[in-house]
Amino acid sequence: MFKTILYIAIGGAIGSVLRYITSILVAKFWTNQFPLATFIANILGCFLIGLFMGYLLKNQLEDSNLKWFLITGICGGFTTFSTFSMENYLLLQNQNSFLAFGNILLSISLGLFAVWMGLFITK
């Protein structure tokens, strides 16, 4: 278990640093109000989790420490949106459309509400 936690921690550190670098690079070239750095991180994270999971499944490594390093660690540190997207994709693949769209609607709505509530409480 400690070995798995170490893989996640190292991957998470890498993902977090990559997220920071993404924000710095985008800020140099983008001054618009649209949160492009977050958008890029989220979409790239979705691509990476799909790429990593596809590789792991193809090579029968879905239960390996590589999964914890790449998906939970790097993608988790880079963005949680990738996990959100992958879980909804799997729900749709398993003909759970109601759960997938319910999860999407509730996650976005409650996520926005939680941000607002957190900001409201701190004022």
Side-chain angles (χ1 to χ4, degrees), residues 1 6 12 31 40 43 46 50 55 66 82 85 92 94 98 103 112 118:
M1 182 170 148
L6 187 60
T31 57
I40 288 170
I43 301 305
C46 289
Y55 174 82
L66 190 57
S82 57
S85 296
L92 290 169
N94 293 318
F98 180 76
N103 185 36
L112 289 170

Side-chain angles (χ1 to χ4, degrees), residues 2-74:
F2 180 76
K3 189 176 177 183
T4 300
I5 291 170
L6 187 60
Y7 279 108
I8 293 168
I10 293 168
I14 291 168
S16 296
V17 169
L18 290 173
R19 173 66 186 264
Y20 176 72
I21 291 169
T22 301
S23 296
I24 297 299
L25 289 174
V26 170
K28 284 186 175 187
F29 303 103
W30 183 261
T31 57
N32 196 306
Q33 284 188 313
F34 182 78
L36 186 61
T38 300
F39 181 78
I40 288 170
N42 285 340
I43 301 305
L44 183 56
C46 289
F47 174 73
L48 289 175
I49 200 170
L51 193 69
F52 293 155
M53 196 60 163
Y55 174 82
L56 293 170
L57 290 169
K58 182 178 179 182
N59 293 288
Q60 299 177 354
L61 296 169
E62 62 269 14
D63 292 325
S64 71
N65 282 322
L66 190 57
K67 174 186 175 187
W68 298 116
F69 173 74
L70 293 172
I71 294 180
T72 305
I74 291 178

